[in-house]
Amino acid sequence: MEAYNKTPDHVQLYDLMFVTLFSEKQVQERVRELGAEITAQYKDKRPLFISILSGAFVFASDLMRAFDGDCEVGFVKLSSYAGTRSSGSVQTVMGLEKDLHGRHLIVVEDIVDTGRTLHFFIDHLRQQNPASICTITFLRKPDAAEFPVAVDYVGFDIENRFVVGYGLDYEGLGRNLPGIYQLR
Ligand code: XMP
Ligand code: MG
């Protein structure tokens, strides 16, 4: 049996059934709006988009193409220190080769859940004296917040339920779905 089974309004990945939360069209419209807002703020600043791997690579790719001006992109991979999920820090597994001093950074996340990833990563970036740091996430689960993070741009606030698609995965699958699907 295939692990992936998709119809117009739901997708099954392994044992789990997901239903459509945002269609591809809704996703793309929101990305265009966010791109226009970021363009208005960063047009002449040559921002560096920092995409947090793996999930955010899809959103970052669309977002930077919705940005109308000079920009660069870099990637980081973060992982948790051993320890409890709620108290652990995060570690940079694959870092940026670029010098961040004096740069305008736009940190791109797929989803902010507890806020832990962004909280620790922003702290880490601040130590490298960038000119500015802003954060953008495609999705946010406000009811799951545990760490203080000021997110500057949010695509959609959603319920505290597991979602896949548009870069987000369940056991590695679902990242290629162009919309967002929520666990039924
Ligand atoms: P924190 O708690 O650090 O979480 O804000 C952010 C990271 O957790 C993962 N995450 C999810 N991944 N569906 C996913 O596929 C979800 O509903 C979900 N919620 C959190 C994700 O890797 C994100 O970067
Ligand atoms: Mg994941």
Side-chain angles (χ1 to χ4, degrees):
M1 201 184 100
E2 299 229 1
Y4 178 103
N5 179 357
K6 188 175 163 218
T7 74
D9 56 357
H10 77 262
V11 63
Q12 180 164 359
L13 301 173
Y14 296 111
D15 54 322
L16 298 185
M17 184 70 88
F18 296 85
V19 294
T20 303
L21 182 62
F22 302 112
S23 67
E24 177 176 12
K25 185 162 172 278
Q26 286 174 297
V27 166
Q28 290 303 324
E29 273 173 19
R30 190 68 188 114
V31 173
R32 265 198 301 280
E33 289 170 3
L34 292 168
E37 288 179 50
I38 300 272
T39 300
Q41 193 182 341
Y42 286 94
K43 181 114 180 130
D44 302 309
K45 293 185 171 159
R46 195 178 174 135
L48 172 61
F49 289 93
I50 301 178
S51 168
I52 302 181
L53 296 172
S54 299
F57 84 101
V58 176
F59 176 45
S61 156
D62 282 346
L63 185 68
M64 74 175 295
R65 283 177 294 171
F67 180 81
D68 187 17
D70 289 340
C71 65
E72 296 176 38
V73 66
F75 299 88
V76 289
K77 191 156 180 73
L78 307 173
S79 90
S80 327
Y81 278 119
T84 68
R85 190 183 146 77
S86 54
S87 62
S89 179
V90 295
Q91 192 178 19
T92 309
V93 171
M94 187 188 99
L96 293 160
E97 279 117 57
K98 294 173 193 289
D99 181 7
L100 304 185
H101 185 266
R103 298 299 306 265
H104 293 281
L105 310 181
I106 303 176
V107 179
V108 185
E109 251 293 37
D110 49 1
I111 186 163
V112 175
D113 190 293
T114 63
R116 175 166 160 269
T117 309
L118 270 190
H119 174 80
F120 287 103
F121 184 54
I122 300 235
D123 216 47
H124 168 80
L125 289 177
R126 275 210 192 93
Q127 293 163 21
Q128 301 180 56
N129 298 312
S132 68
I133 305 177
C134 99
T135 52
I136 178 162
T137 185
F138 191 64
L139 300 175
R140 179 173 64 181
K141 295 176 176 173
D143 295 341
E146 287 177 34
F147 292 84
V149 199
V151 185
D152 300 285
Y153 298 93
V154 178
F156 297 103
D157 276 325
I158 63 169
E159 280 177 60
N160 192 5
R161 290 170 76 171
F162 191 71
V163 291
V164 294
Y166 202 56
L168 292 156
D169 73 302
Y170 169 55
E171 299 288 335
L173 294 185
R175 295 193 198 276
N176 58 324
L177 295 165
I180 299 285
Y181 294 76
Q182 180 177 261
L183 187 60
R184 191 171 67 179

